[in-house]
Every structure is written in C-alpha cells, then in structure tokens.
Amino acid sequence: AIQMTQSPSSLSASVGDRVTITCRASQGIRNDLGWYQQKPGKAPKLLIYAASSLQSGVPSRFSGSGSGTDFTLTISSLQPEDFATYYCLQDYNYPLTFGQGTKVEIK
Amino acid sequence: QVQLQESGPGLVKPSETLSLTCAVSGYSISSGYYWGWIRQPPGKGLEWIGSIYHSGSTYYNPSLKSRVTISVDTSKNQFSLKLSSVTAADTAVYYCAREVVNFDYWGQGTLVTVSS
C-alpha cells in the first residue's frame, strides 16, 4: 500500500497568515491526490482534487500543487473559518490511503 | 443535490457483525461511479474501508478484507457495509461517500460503538 506522510501534524497560525501543508507519497502517484478539510463533528469536505483542481464552491485562497510524490496545500490568507484539520488522500490505486492529518490551530 | 445518509445500529456487541446502509438521493447509483466507506475512530484520523462500483465489483482495505463485505442494491439506490467479528478497535464514526475523483459527497457519519 502507498504510504502518505503528511506534515506538520499540527501548526499554530494567525488570521491572515499563509499556511502550507505537505504530503509525501511513498511512490509516485501522478497527480492523483485530494485535500480535505474536516471540522469537529463534521464529515470531511473535499477542497482540492487531482492535486491542483479547486472543488466547486471552495474559496480561491485554497490551492494545491505537486505531482509524483510531493504535494502541497496552501491557504493564502488564513480565515477564522479555516481552523480545522486537513487530510490528503491518494486515489492513484487501491487501497486508498489518507495522510495522518494536520490540525491548524489559532495562534 | 447528491445526498448520502448512513443508518444502522449505534451499538454492537463484541464478536458480532456491524451492519450499515447508505441511502443515496439526488443521483442514481446505476449511473456509475464508485461508492465508498470510510471510518474515523474517536480522536483519530481517517481510514478507507472499501469501495463498490454500481456493477458490484469491490475493493477492500487489506487490513480489514477478511471481515468486510460491501454490497449494492441499485433498486433501492443504496449500498451497505458489513464488518464481522468486531472488537472495541472498530468503534468509530462510519462515513459513506461518492467516489468520483476522490470523495466529493459524504454522508454526515454515524457513530458505532462496540461494547457489551
């Protein structure tokens, strides 16, 4: 199975900060990667698919990049509603595997 | 608007079988795509359990494969999860989701507790 290593596991940031989260795959996965946001008690929400495509309705401050083994989710200007946990998911092959998650907290 | 809703017992005894159903509205399962189950133990990360195509072909997480069965009922527009021989480690929120490119629509999730 492909291992997805996500970092950092948590970070503290202020409103307006630029935030970057990374995900590394144990083997090449082309651009078959998605990013999710999850708030407490809620289902995950798809933000980015195919590594860099913005899901409909998601604010443009979210962006994704990368291909192969290294991927990045960037929030250009952190907003109060962005404090949440973020996960990556590779859908290159089965079994699908998630990163461990990154909790974004208020500084 | 595509909607998914999980249903099933919230409490299951150890060694018994967990059974959940996901009812889909706003989209016909027969039209295509894969449909998946994902779980999240309390305070932990997400784990993919398995996925099923409308034709019935399935993929399972190897760590659960011996205990998991996912099936689809296109006439009722729903799909189901069975997990046998459960232990406390199977206590989690269970989500169903549509798998297009990644999982684009999710159910709200249902907490299943394994306890006697």
Side-chain angles (χ1 to χ4, degrees):
Chain A
I2 297 172
Q3 305 297 320
M4 302 303 297
T5 303
Q6 193 173 333
S7 61
S9 56
S10 65
L11 65 90
S12 295
S14 300
V15 172
D17 284 354
R18 182 181 183 89
V19 169
T20 299
I21 299 167
T22 64
C23 221
R24 174 165 288 176
S26 59
Q27 68 182 71
I29 58 171
R30 301 181 308 195
N31 69 336
D32 296 330
L33 182 111
W35 289 99
Y36 295 82
Q37 176 193 68
Q38 186 180 33
K39 296 182 178 179
K42 299 294 187 181
K45 173 187 175 183
L46 181 63
L47 301 175
I48 302 285
Y49 63 94
S52 61
S53 296
L54 194 66
Q55 177 70 351
S56 176
V58 174
S60 59
R61 63 181 179 272
F62 291 94
S63 64
S65 65
S67 182
T69 60
D70 295 309
F71 301 87
T72 299
L73 172 70
T74 299
I75 309 172
S76 60
S77 178
L78 198 65
Q79 297 302 300
E81 60 268 31
D82 300 337
F83 291 95
T85 301
Y86 294 84
Y87 295 91
C88 62
L89 169 68
Q90 69 81 16
D91 65 334
Y92 175 73
N93 66 10
Y94 293 106
L96 306 183
T97 44
F98 287 92
Q100 305 96 311
T102 296
K103 187 173 185 179
V104 177
E105 299 177 301
I106 301 172
K107 194 171 187 179
Chain B
Q1 177 74 339
V2 180
Q3 293 184 316
L4 297 90
Q5 179 68 58
E6 305 90 350
S7 62
L11 181 64
V12 181
K13 290 183 169 55
S15 80
E16 296 189 343
T17 296
L18 177 160
S19 295
L20 296 174
T21 296
C22 182
V24 179
S25 59
Y27 186 86
S28 172
I29 288 179
S30 299
S31 297
Y33 299 137
Y34 276 87
W35 303 83
W37 288 97
I38 301 101
R39 71 179 183 177
Q40 184 171 39
K44 296 188 178 180
L46 300 163
E47 179 183 34
W48 173 75
I49 299 170
S51 297
I52 188 165
Y53 196 54
H54 68 91
S55 63
S57 63
T58 53
Y59 292 93
Y60 296 135
N61 191 321
S63 68
L64 300 169
K65 188 174 183 177
S66 62
R67 300 192 292 129
V68 172
T69 302
I70 297 176
S71 59
V72 65
D73 186 339
T74 54
S75 67
K76 294 182 179 179
N77 214 38
Q78 63 187 36
F79 59 107
S80 299
L81 168 70
K82 290 187 185 300
L83 181 65
S84 64
S85 305
V86 298
T87 69
D90 296 308
T91 294
V93 175
Y94 286 76
Y95 297 100
C96 59
R98 188 179 80 165
E99 184 183 339
V100 179
V101 180
N102 258 257
F103 292 108
D104 61 346
Y105 288 97
W106 294 64
Q108 64 185 22
T110 187
L111 173 63
V112 179
T113 301
V114 178
S115 175
S116 54

